[in-house]
């Protein structure tokens, strides 16, 4: 199966009311772990690469690793998505590499730090939609800002999405999916106490724009068992806290269909490598500890595919092509 546009994966999830994880990828073992989880749970999957991932893999490696994943897993619907694109140019680059979906994070300026005005966000997002839809490529936009800063990305300040603005934004830009700010943040330190997410924002936007899939960023659960492994074997990640899986499940019922997860994969890999090396001090074959990391990603992602309700939906639909979607956009 070729890469499919993310629009198809999310529209199908809308019909059956389940969520689809969008998992960040930077290297082969991470991608293999995610793909094995998708295959074994019969799940469609969104694989996403940040600008940091493009840089780390010198672009060509991510492109060809995902091509290998497609070849290795012909039965799995896969979408390759740009995470937090910062400009039209970055989105164009991703599209030229064969990405079937891009996010333009117009909630922040090109520096990925300074919040924009509503009008600035509409302008850049509209420009990306006009360009991407000409190729049949899906576009995700964002309104509102998350807390937390990952690798210098993010304003560090939370601005929850205003539902009235969200409705206007979707109409003015023509985006396929909208990321909402409902109180989550990127990284391992999302909350100090059990979180109260602004679920009412999801319900309100969903009731007024029922056909647009909604996206939740900063959705890692930062499971205590994974954090404990990292800390037990020499790590130092005190007081980390994420989004409870039950909150994500509630959000899915209300209208969230794409669930972004990066941190949990990082924790799983780091814990597995630390544990493996601590327990096998004489081992120096990278395949042994990267193999342990791959298995850890597999387990975490498999659990999420089951918890989000993605499992079992792999064969629900025939994959569509970018050309077919392009014709739909042109109507
Ligand atoms: O949204 C941010 C993602 O976690 C990507 O992080 O820029 O460190 O790859 P990164
Ligand atoms: P986490 O840091 O919670 O994994 O969020 C990842 C994300 O939102 C990527 O866009
Ligand atoms: Zn994000």
């Amino acid at each position: 199966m070729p890469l499919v546009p993310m629009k198809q994966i999310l529209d199908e999830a809308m019909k059956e009311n389940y969520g689809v994880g969008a998992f960040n990828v930077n290297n082969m073992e991470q991608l293999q772990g995610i793909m094995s989880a998708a295959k074994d749970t019969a799940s469609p999957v969104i694989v996403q690469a940040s600008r940091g991932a493009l840089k780390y893999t010198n672009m060509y490696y991510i492109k060809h690793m995902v091509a290998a994943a497609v070849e290795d897993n012909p039965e799995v619907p896969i979408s390759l998505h740009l995470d937090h694109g910062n400009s039209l140019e970055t989105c164009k680059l991703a599209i030229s590499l064969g990405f079937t979906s891009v996010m333009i994070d117009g909630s922040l300026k090109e520096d990925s730090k300074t919040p924009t005005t509503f009008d600035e966000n509409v302008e850049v997002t509209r420009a990306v939609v006009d360009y991407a839809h000409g190729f049949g490529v899906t576009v995700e936009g964002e309104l509102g800002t998350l807390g937390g800063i990952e690798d210098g990305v993010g304003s560090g300040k939370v601005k929850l999405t205003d539902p009235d603005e969200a409705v206007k934004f979707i109409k003015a830009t023509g985006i396929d999916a909208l990321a909402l700010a409902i109180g989550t943040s990127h990284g391992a330190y999302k909350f100090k106490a059990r979180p109260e997410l602004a679920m009412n924002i999801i319900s309100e936007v969903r009731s007024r724009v029922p056909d647009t899939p909604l996206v939740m960023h900063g959705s890692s659960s930062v499971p205590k068992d994974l954090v404990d492994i990292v800390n037990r074997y020499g790590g130092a990640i005190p007081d980390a806290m994420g989004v409870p899986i039950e909150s994500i499940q509630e959000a899915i019922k209300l209208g969230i269909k794409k669930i972004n997860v990066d941190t949990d994969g990082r924790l799983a890999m780091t814990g597995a490598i630390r544990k493996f090396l601590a327990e096998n001090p004489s081992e120096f074959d990278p395949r042994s500890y990267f193999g342990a990391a791959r298995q850890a990603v597999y387990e975490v992602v498999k659990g999420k595919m089951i918890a989000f309700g993605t499992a079992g939906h792999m064969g629900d639909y025939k994959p569509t092509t970018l050309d077919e979607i392009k014709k739909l956009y042109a109507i």
Side-chain angles (χ1 to χ4, degrees), residues 146-187:
L146 274 71
I149 299 180
E150 282 283 282
D151 285 359
V153 175
S155 69
K157 293 203 181 71
V158 182
K159 181 178 181 287
L160 297 184
T161 306
D162 173 338
D164 290 332
E165 282 193 348
V167 175
K168 272 201 268 172
F169 187 74
I170 292 168
K171 296 207 166 113
T173 58
I175 47 170
D176 302 290
L178 177 67
L180 301 175
I182 57 167
T184 63
S185 59
H186 292 123

Side-chain angles (χ1 to χ4, degrees), residues 257-288:
K257 291 293 162 275
K258 172 173 181 271
I259 301 120
N260 280 25
V261 175
D262 187 357
T263 298
D264 284 356
R266 297 178 180 202
L267 289 170
M269 292 185 90
T270 302
I273 290 173
R274 282 189 176 280
K275 180 170 187 291
F276 185 91
L277 291 176
E279 288 176 350
N280 301 275
S282 59
E283 181 63 78
F284 60 90
D285 182 344
R287 289 172 295 190
S288 60

